[in-house]
Structure formats: C-alpha cells, structure tokens
Amino acid sequence: MKRTLNLLLPLLSLLLIAGGCSNKKEKMEQELKQFIADWEARVEPLQRDAYIAYWNASISGNDEDYAKSEQLQFQLNSIYTSKEDFALLKKIKESEAVTDTMLKRQLDVLYTAYLSNQIDTTLLAKRIKMEVEIEKKYSNFRADVNGRQLSDNDVEELLKTSTNSAELQSAWEGHKKIGQVVSADIIALVKVRNQIAQELGFKNYHAMSLELSEQNPDDISSLFDELDNLTRDAFAGLKDEIDTYLANRLKINKDQLMPWHYQNRFFQEAPSIYSVDLDKYYGNQNIEELTTNYYSSIGLDITDMLANSDLYEKPGKNQHAYCIDIDNAGDVRILCNIKPNYSWMNTMMHEFGHGVYDKYIDRNLPFSLRNPAHTFTTEAIAMMFGRMGSNPQWMQDMGLIDSTEKVRIAQDTYQVLRLEQLTFSRWAQVMYRFEKSMYENPDQDLNDLWWSLVEKYQMIKRPEGRNEPDWASKIHIATSPCYYHNYLLGELLASQLNHYITANIVKSDDFRYQSFYGNKEVGKYLTQKVFMPGASLYWNDMIEKATGEKLTARYYAEQFVK
Ligand SMILES: [Zn+2]
C-alpha cells in the first residue's frame, strides 16, 4: 500500500503540473488573442488613415496635409508607448506559455514594437531635442571654399568635375569643418542613446538597434568579416585602377592622391572611370510601360498598383520615390517622378520590387505579420530588379538594344556595376565598424578610429597629421543611427537570390547577365518562398527556406569579385 502510494505520488504530481501548465498555456494564449484582436481594431484603421494622410501630403506638399499626417503618425506611435499594454505582453512573453507558432511570432513582433517605445519620456524628449538641434546645424552649414559658401550639392559637383588639386582640397576641407561644429553634440547624443538602451536592458544603443530588429550583432559582424575577406584583394586591384585613372586625369603621381581626389566627399560612390552612357538608351522610352511589361512577363501583375500610384512630376510634390503599403491588404502605392533616363528606369524597377513584395504577402496572415520579413529583405528584392536597368541582357530582352550592341556594352556595364558595388561595400564596412565601436566606447579617440578604418577598408590615405572629427561630417551617424549596414545586407541577399534563381530555375551558370524575362516560374518562386511568408518567419529562416542557406556574402562575391 505504502509502496503503491509512493509510486503514485510522483505520478500524481506530474499530472498536476502538466494540468497546471496546460491551464496556464490556455489562459496566456487566450489573453494574447484578446490583446491582438483589440490591438488590430485600434491599429488597422489608424495606420490606414495615417499612411493615406502621408501619401496625400507628399503629393500636394501643402502644410495642412503635412500637419494632418504628423498628427495621425503621432497617434499611431503613442499606441506603442502604453505601459499597460507592454506589461501585459511582457508577462505573457516571460511565462513562456505561448507555444503556437503563429501566436508566438506575433507576440515577438508586438513585444519588440512596444519595447522600443518604452523609453523614459524625459530621456526621450532630451534625445529628440538634441537630434533636432544637430540636424539644424547640418542644414544651416555651408562649406566656405575660398570665400564662396557652398551647399553639399555644390561641393559634390565641384569634387566630381574639378581637376585642380588646390581647389579640390579646399572644397573637401571646407566641407569637413561641419565635423567641428557637431562632433561634441554627437558624442553627447551617443551617450544619451546609450543611457536609453541601458535602461531598456541592452549593452549599448548599437546592440539595442540591431537586437530590436532581430539582428544578432555577432552574426552581422561575421557577415561583414566574411565580406571583407572576399572583397579585399579585388577591391585593392580596382582601387589601383581608380588611382591610375585619377592620377592621369589630375596630372599628378599616384602616391600624391589624397581623399579629396576621389570625386565625392566620402568615397562612398565609384568615381566614373569607365565611359558608358546608359541614358541614351532610355531617352525615347516609356519607362512605365517597360516596368509593367517586365513584371508581367515574370508573372507578377503590377497594373492594380499602377492605378493607385502617382508617377509623374507635379508642383509641390515630393521629388524622390517611395513605395507604401497603405493597409497590409493590397492597397500598395508608388510615388515617382519619372523622366526618360536610366536613373528613373532603375528607380521604377526598384520601387515596384518593393511593391510586388508587399502585394503578394499572404492576406491570410494576421495583420501584424503582413509585412516583409525585414526592411533589408524587401530592399534586396528592390535592388535585384533595380540592377536590371544596366543589365545588357535585360535591355536586349526589353527591345532597347540589339545583340551587337549588347556584346559591345556588356563588359563596360558589368565593370561599372562591379565598381559601384565594391566601392560601396568597402565604405559600408567603415560605417558599420565605426558606429559599433563608437557606441561601445564614445570616449575613445574617434578621430583616429575613423581614419584607421578608412585606411584599412577604403584604402585611401589619411592626410598627414590630420586629427579632426571627420567622422562627424557624415550626417547618417547623427540622424539615422545604426541602420547603414542594412543597405549592404540587401545587396548580399539580392545576389544570393539571383544565384539561386539562375542555378535552379533558369538552370544556367552565368550569374552576371540574367534578365529572367518571360520566365513565370521566377515570379512564382519569389511569391511562394519570399513574399507570401511575410514576417511570419524570422528573416534568416525565410532565406534558408528560400535558398537552402542562411544569408551569406558568397554570392555577392561570386557576382562582383571574380
Ligand atoms: Zn528601397
């Protein structure tokens, strides 16, 4: 009897625990479902109104519309500052009781969205005030170049066109003076941002920014290391070509080349050392029609989005381009200012890349998961299609050039793309590593850190004895912190998808000149494997399911290094 009891007791308590668990699980899941239903009822209509107001404002450009847009955006943001909502989500998350995959995913997405808005309001106000002050200083700054006041655009223009070393040097140095104006403010801002991050439980602001967007800082650093190793030698070779070209053009020796000789303020874009004029192919073309025909040929219909879009110049209208998913339910709009040239061809293909991603996300997913897996995954799709505008195979398939012309420009167009990519990738290394290190220790010698990274990754020479806050002349460091790396991750994924589609759908081993024109399987693959899952999968799981591998730098190197 006693024995039996002894045996039974542990069994009973096991059953009790299991029973308690499933009760708790049910209770938590029920509570979460209720919260989500309530959250959706508040956010869905408000987001739609806010996005429509933003859209209207960027087309009319009038103050009234902008005021309405700002007010709705503020209302939308303030939902996420709720302490009660966050406490509930935190309790559910920490219980670890939610096991249903789709519910758990929604919980993670909502928890993160709320967590990033749980900032102490005094600190938040302080941060915003500092950011506004710094931004004002950037806007008001003009470079004094031999007594002339030059805007950033003027400086860029001068650096691109002048061949006079003394003039180039004064323009570059004149622009860098903004560094002295804002550097102390930025260091103070970095410390406030770190304080915010630490109060939310993160090591520093850089770590927080990455982790809140589901990026493990160590994973991102490994990708940057991998890319550094893969691109270093090829870039060194190209850099030598650039130097030979520039030294010739400027009539100086290669070893006299200084940072002001590289045709832009940061050597973030490739100097134009090859001569391809892509504009001439687009001068008489209907860019809108080319875009529609192309996407339709790969099985992606954009006509519904075209009807909602605003594609041509108007007085007062925003002069740039963007894609916006108004309601996560099919109302996707694109703003452009089309002119018949290469740049707008690239932009239309890019923006409708974002468009098809948004449009084809599975409408049966819960509202909070009807978004791309990550901002850089939608950027990757946009970049992959944007690259088509300079791809001679694509140009031939679209009827812009014949096969003789294709052969004639193939080498040069590839060289241009390769030069652009490698130059940008080395610059992104500097930005990523600088920000990471700056947030880890804002009191270190940042001037020296910056130039050590520039020398190492961009391979340009630090002017002798230079000890100035040149890092602070890059506005993104102050105003768009810890985001720059996503541009490069987008390029890596664009190449990884290009490789997968070429090898497995087109079944070719030519990874440079694929247009996918007319291949509906391509649209089907992207829809099923990339677009439809939306944010229901963590981005690297989506990539692994779609390509058989996690995000890697290998295919970027395959496309642009060899
Ligand atoms: Zn984009």
Side-chain angles (χ1 to χ4, degrees):
M1 188 73 189
K2 219 177 172 197
R3 269 189 128 160
T4 333
L5 245 185
N6 265 349
L7 270 174
L8 264 178
L9 264 178
L11 248 182
L12 263 177
S13 54
L14 259 179
L15 281 172
L16 275 174
I17 293 170
C21 254
S22 94
N23 262 343
K24 190 178 175 195
K25 174 179 145 62
E26 255 165 50
K27 194 174 158 276
M28 287 294 173
E29 292 196 344
Q30 202 43 51
E31 235 178 312
L32 179 59
K33 277 184 200 160
Q34 187 54 52
F35 174 83
I36 291 170
D38 174 57
W39 175 85
E40 284 176 351
R42 284 181 291 154
V43 170
E44 274 202 68
L46 187 53
Q47 180 190 305
R48 190 181 52 235
D49 290 351
Y51 287 6
I52 288 175
Y54 178 76
W55 172 260
N56 290 339
S58 52
I59 288 169
S60 76
N62 74 44
D63 292 345
E64 216 171 287
D65 287 344
Y66 270 111
K68 188 174 176 198
S69 161
E70 257 171 56
Q71 189 236 333
L72 286 165
Q73 195 59 50
F74 179 78
Q75 273 183 45
L76 186 60
N77 286 348
S78 55
I79 289 184
Y80 296 97
T81 59
S82 160
K83 298 254 177 294
E84 288 133 63
D85 284 5
F86 181 66
L88 177 71
L89 288 169
K90 191 164 190 259
K91 181 189 81 180
I92 299 174
K93 190 175 167 68
E94 284 172 358
S95 77
E96 292 181 2
V98 176
T99 50
D100 175 83
T101 330
M102 210 51 103
L103 269 181
K104 195 169 180 302
R105 187 70 196 139
Q106 290 176 82
L107 174 60
D108 288 345
V109 167
L110 289 172
Y111 176 83
T112 309
Y114 274 87
L115 175 59
S116 51
N117 285 286
Q118 300 301 306
I119 303 168
D120 172 80
T121 44
T122 330
L123 264 184
L124 180 63
K126 190 170 168 190
R127 190 195 81 192
I128 293 172
K129 190 165 183 281
M130 292 170 94
E131 286 171 346
V132 171
E133 287 301 313
I134 292 174
E135 203 161 345
K136 237 188 270 169
K137 289 187 180 174
Y138 278 106
S139 314
N140 291 331
F141 179 81
R142 295 292 176 275
D144 185 327
V145 182
N146 305 324
R148 284 161 63 214
Q149 304 294 308
L150 300 190
S151 70
D152 287 353
N153 278 338
D154 298 335
V155 171
E156 285 288 309
E157 186 60 27
L158 196 153
L159 291 176
K160 209 159 274 162
T161 51
S162 170
T163 50
N164 176 333
S165 275
E167 186 179 44
L168 289 167
Q169 181 172 359
S170 21
W172 187 86
E173 284 175 349
H175 158 70
K176 291 296 174 208
K177 290 237 159 64
I178 180 65
Q180 294 166 2
V181 180
V182 291
S183 62
D185 296 353
I186 297 178
I187 293 170
L189 173 61
V190 162
K191 289 179 177 175
V192 169
R193 284 176 178 161
N194 274 348
Q195 203 184 337
I196 287 171
Q198 279 147 14
E199 288 192 359
L200 294 180
F202 296 93
K203 205 170 71 181
N204 59 55
Y205 190 81
H206 188 266
M208 177 179 99
S209 303
L210 268 66
E211 282 170 36
L212 284 180
S213 75
E214 298 192 300
Q215 292 175 336
N216 177 329
D218 294 338
D219 292 349
I220 304 303
S221 293
S222 311
L223 274 168
F224 272 73
D225 289 344
E226 186 194 1
L227 186 65
D228 170 34
N229 288 327
L230 288 168
T231 54
R232 192 181 306 119
D233 294 345
F235 180 72
L238 266 185
K239 170 70 175 31
D240 192 57
E241 250 184 80
I242 294 174
D243 286 358
T244 306
Y245 173 88
L246 291 175
N248 257 325
R249 178 180 150 86
L250 297 156
K251 300 187 174 58
I252 55 178
N253 291 326
K254 264 156 91 171
D255 60 10
Q256 293 173 305
L257 283 167
M258 298 307 288
W260 42 88
H261 290 132
Y262 288 85
Q263 299 193 348
N264 59 76
R265 288 168 295 161
F266 302 98
F267 189 31
Q268 68 179 69
E269 281 155 36
S272 34
I273 70 170
Y274 308 111
S275 56
V276 198
D277 173 19
L278 288 168
D279 283 340
K280 72 175 183 207
Y281 303 109
Y282 293 102
N284 298 315
Q285 293 297 331
N286 183 331
I287 304 284
E288 182 180 341
E289 213 173 275
L290 285 169
T291 311
T292 318
N293 292 347
Y294 174 70
Y295 278 106
S296 149
S297 87
I298 58 167
L300 302 172
D301 174 29
I302 64 166
T303 49
D304 51 343
M305 293 187 277
L306 278 174
N308 293 337
S309 294
D310 201 294
L311 300 177
Y312 299 94
E313 289 179 305
K314 282 177 187 165
K317 182 177 157 183
N318 175 320
Q319 297 180 64
H320 305 280
Y322 69 80
C323 169
I324 187 166
D325 185 351
I326 298 282
D327 58 1
N328 298 23
D331 184 354
V332 179
R333 307 179 187 184
I334 277 120
L335 181 143
C336 276
N337 291 276
I338 299 178
K339 296 256 177 199
N341 59 34
Y342 161 66
S343 163
W344 280 105
M345 185 73 251
N346 177 312
T347 305
M348 277 288 281
M349 291 290 286
H350 180 106
E351 296 306 333
F352 277 93
H354 287 304
V356 289
Y357 199 139
D358 288 337
K359 173 182 163 172
Y360 288 101
I361 290 174
D362 187 355
R363 304 270 171 84
N364 296 314
L365 287 172
F367 179 75
S368 67
L369 303 182
R370 269 183 261 144
N371 287 304
H374 197 281
T375 51
F376 90 79
T377 63
T378 176
E379 219 46 71
I381 294 294
M383 286 163 165
M384 184 174 76
F385 288 122
R387 288 176 191 168
M388 294 294 180
S390 63
N391 173 340
Q393 183 60 53
W394 187 86
M395 294 164 74
Q396 189 193 351
D397 291 340
M398 299 308 294
L400 304 171
I401 56 175
D402 60 20
S403 55
T404 322
E405 187 69 355
K406 182 186 95 174
V407 173
R408 201 184 67 80
I409 64 171
Q411 192 56 23
D412 276 358
T413 49
Y414 173 70
Q415 293 293 353
V416 171
L417 184 60
R418 179 173 188 257
L419 186 71
E420 280 171 4
Q421 288 290 338
L422 290 181
T423 304
F424 179 75
S425 101
R426 301 303 290 186
W427 157 247
Q429 293 275 355
V430 172
M431 286 292 283
Y432 175 73
R433 291 170 198 277
F434 179 80
E435 287 193 283
K436 186 170 191 297
S437 184
M438 174 176 71
Y439 283 97
E440 278 164 5
N441 176 14
D443 290 318
Q444 66 183 303
D445 184 345
L446 295 172
N447 302 356
D448 182 59
L449 171 68
W450 178 259
W451 276 106
S452 305
L453 292 169
V454 168
E455 286 181 314
K456 181 170 176 192
Y457 293 99
Q458 295 186 287
M459 305 179 189
I460 54 179
K461 235 187 304 176
R462 175 190 327 222
E464 208 184 310
R466 187 152 180 98
N467 179 20
E468 296 292 334
D470 294 329
W471 52 274
S473 65
K474 182 68 186 167
I475 187 170
H476 292 71
I477 287 176
T479 60
S480 320
C482 314
Y483 185 79
Y484 219 82
H485 62 282
N486 285 310
Y487 299 122
L488 191 57
L489 299 184
E491 298 285 6
L492 302 190
L493 180 55
S495 292
Q496 189 166 339
L497 288 169
N498 176 68
H499 175 94
Y500 183 87
I501 294 170
T502 302
N504 298 283
I505 299 175
V506 180
K507 299 196 194 307
S508 159
D509 57 6
D510 173 5
F511 300 103
R512 281 185 199 171
Y513 302 119
Q514 293 298 333
S515 79
F516 314 144
Y517 180 77
N519 193 333
K520 296 212 162 36
E521 289 303 310
V522 173
K524 207 162 119 192
Y525 161 77
L526 288 173
T527 301
Q528 287 173 355
K529 297 294 184 177
V530 181
F531 307 158
M532 280 191 72
S536 69
L537 295 172
Y538 160 63
W539 58 267
N540 225 352
D541 291 343
M542 179 278 284
I543 295 171
E544 192 173 21
K545 285 192 175 183
T547 68
E549 292 171 275
K550 295 209 180 294
L551 182 62
T552 163
R554 203 176 318 135
Y555 302 110
Y556 181 86
E558 172 189 76
Q559 201 172 356
F560 300 119
V561 172
K562 279 179 196 163

